[in-house]
Amino acid sequence: MPVASLLPFTATPNRKSASPTSFRLTEKFILLLVFSGFITLCFGAIFFLPDSSKLLSGVFFRSSSVEAETRAGTILAKIRKDHEKALIEAKDTLQKRPDEIKQDINSDKAKLVQNRQGKGDSLPFVQYVRPPGATGHEPADPDAKAKRAKIKEMMQFSWDNYKRYAWGSNELRPISKQGHSSNLFGSLKGATIVDALDTLYIMEMYDEFEAATEWVESNLDFNMNAEISVFEVNIRFVGGLLSAYYLSGKEVFRRKAVELGEKLLPAFKTPTGIPWALLNLKSGIGRNWPWASGGSSILAEYGTLHLEFMHLSELSGRPDFAEKVMNIRKVLNRLDKPQGLYPNYLNPNSGQWGQHHVSVGGLGDSFYEYLLKAWLMSDKTDEEGKKLYYDALQAIEKNLIRKSSGGLTYIAEWKGGLLEHKMGHLTCFAGGMIALGADGGPDDKTGHQMELAAEIARTCHESYARTSMKLGPEAFRFDGGVEAIATRQNEKYFILRPEVIETYMYMWRFTHDPKYRQWGWEAVQALEKYCRVEGGYSGVRDVYANTPNHDDVQQSFYLAETLKDNNNKKQKNKLQINKLYEQLCYR
């Protein structure tokens, strides 16, 4: 094939009109390369030789220095050799067919990608130690054993339907039997797979765990032009990958977790270092939710990165992950707290609080949980985390915790100094949190905090017991003669949340009071009766109705948290793993 046909926008010469002195295109190209080589040689000699007066004088002024002449001659010879090599390669390329050139280009691209991946895989050696007590124990009590088997069957049913109808999607629509994804994940895929990894392992569903591992290895990809929620991707993907690594020791989970963590780092590029809520994984451009108090970041979002990022530093050998989250504490320590409380909104540009709205439920909840668990995770050496937690708990108890006329203890919300006597389902995690931290507080507070945790657990149980379906609403109120009941239609839904069952789990672990197991089993029966459908489990829109109106979403956290928390109540052994969100158990 003529060389000219390989060059776009170049007309093929007319052989009849060519003069004897004209050059063919190939000859022109070679002359051009020779000329460019000469120019490069000159510039190379001027700009790229070492900055030495002796050498320069030897090149340009014929210095008598033998050393300078020898060194310059060596460098010039290397430049000349490289140019000759380039000319030969260019000539060889021009003689290839277009399909051969394309194949070479693709091969070079593949090698480049492989080299980049190789660099990402070069993580430091970490001595893996399998956590004791995670699997391999059966309860001796036949009743507990049967109930535990039932919960495992529920997990199997949820997983099988997800795999059948929505494999690779973020979540399952169990009624329409198809995949589902919210805008929290952008085009990132596989939330249910990654989120449920630790549950599969703990329940000894090893075939399913291996299938999930294979999917992560082959399909979990973060190289995409997608805007994601930093908070949601962190707790479900990074947390899920880290938990799976600590349980199984499989390097693919460590590698993927660090890779994703690197993708999230640009979220911290703000004047204060307080991260954006939303981040484009490709461009690294972040922003906050448009509804969040003048462009503020949200306490529960930027405050729920600490555990994962500390582990990312440990597993990658890179201190920058830990530095990012420790900086968040520095910013918070500099700020005045109204009544000792942490408002839900903080502007990442000015470093000042936004609207003074305080909640231990939505927008605030897991910030407090991560303070406590950071201290526990550090083997109780993180004294700063401990102090921040107990100081915050003291302010919450003084300003937000109230008791209804009917004797129910609840945690209200604080808006500019005024209390809203509402408690969210998300707030119900606090019973378990307070129990978990009770023995770390001042000696005279341990018993009081366990009593407080038990009272919150009872209130949250009442929010379930006072509905038709025996499932709790999204929020319930204590005003106008109403106690632990949702009064607004947009607060009556249940989306398979784990917080109440989580508190039951902790209270059973610390007290072994059988009522907590019974309350957990009541929730299991309600889930089976009202949420189980042919294609999985679905949330319901009104827990006070007599018949369920399903929302057609099986949330990933149902498999990752709700079922696991219930299953763990059936085990007598204490898990000694760092479950990086929702579940950290210790003896």
Side-chain angles (χ1 to χ4, degrees), residues 37-38 40-41 72-90:
F38 176 75
T40 305
L41 180 63
T74 302
I75 295 174
L76 292 173
K78 184 179 185 303
I79 294 174
R80 191 177 299 111
K81 183 179 180 181
D82 290 342
H83 261 286
E84 290 173 353
K85 182 180 178 182
L87 287 171
I88 293 172
E89 289 178 352

Side-chain angles (χ1 to χ4, degrees), residues 167-231:
W167 185 246
S169 298
N170 283 315
E171 290 167 323
L172 164 68
R173 288 194 176 275
I175 295 176
S176 53
K177 297 179 180 177
Q178 61 185 3
H180 165 73
S181 184
S182 72
N183 61 358
L184 298 173
F185 309 113
S187 53
L188 197 59
K189 300 296 183 184
T192 291
I193 295 174
V194 178
D195 213 358
L197 281 165
D198 56 348
T199 306
L200 293 171
Y201 194 92
I202 290 169
M203 292 189 181
E204 301 179 8
M205 297 170 62
Y206 295 127
D207 289 343
E208 291 78 4
F209 181 82
E210 290 302 322
T213 302
E214 183 179 342
W215 186 91
V216 169
E217 178 79 70
S218 303
N219 299 285
L220 185 58
D221 180 27
F222 312 123
N223 298 309
M224 56 187 62
N225 185 10
E227 186 178 63
I228 51 89
S229 162
V230 175
F231 163 72

Side-chain angles (χ1 to χ4, degrees), residues 173-175 493-496 537-541 549-555:
R173 288 194 176 275
I175 295 176
Y493 61 89
F494 172 75
I495 57 172
L496 309 174
Y537 288 84
S538 170
V540 293
R541 292 189 171 91
N549 180 10
H550 295 109
D551 65 11
D552 196 19
V553 178
Q554 179 176 280
Q555 303 280 351

